[in-house]
């Protein structure tokens, strides 16, 4: 036991039970005091260490130097349908991230970011235009959830890691954040309520499979052939479509769980009837679901497929051996749809400063 305090542990959200036990011990307290802090942070979600009423006063005093939240709420936008809210948070180093809260009947979903910007340069995505700025810490990922839960009048039922960034290029922190969301003594969300979406970082898909991670896996396919996908998702060069499908199949066979394929429909790019039949062939032998996402425009060269094209595309998937869902984003008027999240100090100052 050491009496020196690890100052890296500040702020507190983001730390696991064992880290908090170590923190308590570093103050000469019993490890169970760390478990009490865990309870206050994640289950009761207090904003100040002074509210942690079952800790001895002397210990609470020592904890005063720690803050709770790694993120500061800067702004909130509500979509015209009132079903989607977008939040802007500031990190301690001044960078910004966005998260989205979506209401759909009894299903309350939050979409969390895992990076500021993104290194995967999908040509159609707003976040990609920012370039890669940094990985979020575990605390910066989990704190988005905690803030959103505090601002929501209903309990959050589902979490998707589909905000800014590529979760599998921040693998350890993304998984540790999911572990905290899932922890039965804390936030206690079922593992099947947490979905991690990747552009297809193949070694990480194998790692996720080998580690038997309990969370749902989604893969952004967005093309029906290798060359077509390569045009909008240059990462296909390194991680080929065939290899990606093999890794997805391996996941489903090892985990005995389906994978979700996401397919963003873009006008004249991947929305031809030929695409839907090729797509059907590509994924029919994999235990999967297909989530079709009509493209949310970001003012660039890509456009949303025309309604009749979307309908034809979906109709031709009617006999597919896998379930098909459509994600009509409800927050596009506040740029909260899939792939519309982007922050920069400049635009933020213009909008909110
Ligand atoms: N990097 C991860 C998670 C973030 S993107 C991934 O790519 O999976 C979440 C989903 O939104 C992905 O399926 C992506 O293909 C899709 N997307 C990106 N830009 C979009 C846009 N402008 N409109 C609709 N969907 C988009």
């Amino acid at each position: 036991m050491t009496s020196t305090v690890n100052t890296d542990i500040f702020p507190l959200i983001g730390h696991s039970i064992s880290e908090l036990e170590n923190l308590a011990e570093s103050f000469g307290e019993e490890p169970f005091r760390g478990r009490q802090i865990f309870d206050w942070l994640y289950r009761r979600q207090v904003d100040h260490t002074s509210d942690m009423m079952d800790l001895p006063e002397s210990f609470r005093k020592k904890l005063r130097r720690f803050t709770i939240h790694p993120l500061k709420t800067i702004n909130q936008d509500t979509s015209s349908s009132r079903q989607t809210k977008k939040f802007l948070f500031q990190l301690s180093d001044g960078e910004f991230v966005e998260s989205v809260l979506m209401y759909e009947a009894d299903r309350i979903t939050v979409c969390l970011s895992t990076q500021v910007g993104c290194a995967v340069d999908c040509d159609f995505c707003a976040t990609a235009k920012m370039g890669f700025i940094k990985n979020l810490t575990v605390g910066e990922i989990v704190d988005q959830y905690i803030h959103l839960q505090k601002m929501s009048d209903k309990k959050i039922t589902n979490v998707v890691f589909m905000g800014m960034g590529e979760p599998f290029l921040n693998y350890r922190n993304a998984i540790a954040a999911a572990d905290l969301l899932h922890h039965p003594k804390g936030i206690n969300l079922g593992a099947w309520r947490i979905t991690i979406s990747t552009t297809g970082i193949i070694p990480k898909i194998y790692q996720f499979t080998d580690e038997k991670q309990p969370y749902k896996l989604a893969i952004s396919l967005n093309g029906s052939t290798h060359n077509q996908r390569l045009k909008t998702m240059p990462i296909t060069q390194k991680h080929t479509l065939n290899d990606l499908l093999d890794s997805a199949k391996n996941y489903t066979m090892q985990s005995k769980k389906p994978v979700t394929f996401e397919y963003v429909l873009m006008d004249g790019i991947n929305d031809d009837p030929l695409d839907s039949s090729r797509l059907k062939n590509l994924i029919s032998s994999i235990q999967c679901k297909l989530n079709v996402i009509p493209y949310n425009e970001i003012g660039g060269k890509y456009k949303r497929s025309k309604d009749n094209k979307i309908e034809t595309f979906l109709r031709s998937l009617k006999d597919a051996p896998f379930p098909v869902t459509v994600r009509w984003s409800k927050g596009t008027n506040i740029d909260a749809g899939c792939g519309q999240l982007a922050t920069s100090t400049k635009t933020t100052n213009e909008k909110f400063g």
Side-chain angles (χ1 to χ4, degrees):
M1 208 185 297
T2 157
S3 59
T4 53
V5 178
N6 176 6
T7 45
D8 294 346
I9 203 155
F10 153 101
L12 293 175
I13 282 178
H15 294 93
S16 64
I17 281 214
S18 60
E19 287 168 338
L20 294 169
E21 286 172 346
N22 290 342
L23 174 79
E25 283 188 290
S26 74
F27 281 101
E29 300 284 340
E30 293 291 326
F32 80 91
R33 295 291 182 203
R35 297 196 285 278
Q36 287 175 313
I37 298 175
F38 187 91
D39 183 71
W40 285 110
L41 290 177
Y42 301 111
R43 196 176 64 82
R44 303 200 232 193
Q45 299 173 9
V46 292
D47 292 320
H48 305 283
T49 53
S50 56
D51 296 333
M52 299 182 174
M53 295 313 289
D54 54 4
L55 298 181
E57 165 117 48
S58 57
F59 186 26
R60 261 186 279 148
K61 256 198 189 138
K62 292 181 199 155
L63 289 177
R64 261 196 227 147
R65 59 185 292 185
F66 295 101
T67 55
I68 301 267
H69 295 283
L71 300 179
K72 200 168 116 195
T73 311
I74 301 291
N75 192 55
Q76 163 177 349
D77 274 338
T78 302
S79 70
S80 46
S81 67
R82 307 196 68 78
Q83 284 174 307
T84 301
K85 290 182 181 174
K86 185 168 79 164
F87 295 86
L88 180 75
F89 297 108
Q90 188 165 35
L91 280 52
S92 59
D93 61 5
E95 296 291 351
F96 296 92
V97 276
E98 288 180 315
S99 328
V100 182
L101 176 63
M102 291 162 282
Y103 295 91
E104 223 176 336
D106 290 343
R107 194 182 168 97
I108 318 293
T109 305
V110 294
C111 178
L112 304 184
S113 296
T114 53
Q115 298 182 315
V116 182
C118 187
V120 183
D121 49 353
C122 302
D123 203 27
F124 48 79
C125 177
T127 310
K129 309 286 172 234
M130 296 171 66
F132 174 68
I133 298 172
K134 61 169 277 193
N135 277 332
L136 296 187
T137 62
V138 180
E140 287 161 348
I141 301 171
V142 173
D143 205 24
Q144 296 170 56
Y145 169 94
I146 293 181
H147 280 294
L148 265 55
Q149 182 60 81
K150 281 174 184 287
M151 287 183 275
S152 167
D153 46 355
K154 292 189 185 152
K155 188 165 170 8
I156 293 167
T157 59
N158 295 75
V159 172
V160 293
F161 287 61
M162 295 185 189
M164 295 163 63
E166 168 48 51
F168 277 6
L169 290 180
N170 186 13
Y171 184 86
R172 274 286 138 232
N173 289 353
I175 296 291
D179 289 346
L180 281 174
L181 295 168
H182 177 44
H183 200 291
K185 290 198 154 60
I187 294 166
N188 195 20
L189 267 180
W192 67 93
R193 295 179 181 279
I194 300 172
T195 302
I196 303 184
S197 176
T198 177
T199 48
I201 312 296
I202 294 174
K204 294 296 172 191
I205 295 177
Y206 281 104
Q207 187 177 345
F208 185 85
T209 307
D210 293 343
E211 290 174 353
K212 301 190 176 8
Q213 293 295 344
Y215 311 112
K216 279 187 163 171
L217 178 66
I219 297 178
S220 301
L221 211 51
N222 302 344
S224 67
T225 67
H226 176 83
N227 285 336
Q228 186 191 65
R229 187 177 194 263
L230 185 60
K231 284 191 192 141
T232 61
M233 298 180 74
I235 194 171
T236 311
Q237 183 83 47
K238 187 166 170 205
H239 298 284
T240 66
L241 183 59
N242 268 340
D243 291 349
L244 178 58
L245 293 170
D246 282 349
S247 71
K249 190 164 201 168
N250 175 64
Y251 166 76
T252 61
M253 292 188 345
Q254 302 293 327
S255 69
K256 311 237 171 348
K257 282 186 287 203
V259 63
T260 298
F261 288 115
E262 293 157 285
Y263 192 96
V264 178
L265 266 187
M266 294 173 272
D267 186 30
I269 303 289
N270 61 0
D271 62 347
D272 197 82
L274 184 58
D275 287 306
S276 56
S277 64
R278 284 194 298 225
L279 179 62
K280 221 185 312 182
N281 284 338
L282 270 187
I283 63 174
S284 279
S285 68
I286 303 176
Q287 192 201 344
C288 69
K289 293 181 198 170
L290 178 68
N291 194 353
V292 175
I293 313 172
Y295 183 65
N296 301 314
E297 296 177 12
I298 58 168
K301 63 180 175 200
Y302 296 99
K303 301 283 171 236
R304 173 179 288 215
S305 301
K306 308 268 178 303
D307 282 356
N308 63 335
K309 271 282 182 85
I310 301 177
E311 279 158 27
T312 311
F313 195 89
L314 293 171
R315 205 174 316 117
S316 65
L317 289 169
K318 280 246 151 62
D319 62 346
F322 45 81
V324 181
T325 51
V326 190
R327 195 191 303 153
W328 296 101
S329 295
K330 307 226 169 43
T332 48
N333 72 313
I334 53 166
D335 289 348
C338 291
Q340 290 186 310
L341 302 186
T343 57
S344 74
T345 317
K346 191 167 164 289
T347 54
T348 303
N349 285 341
E350 280 165 6
K351 265 186 176 160
F352 313 114

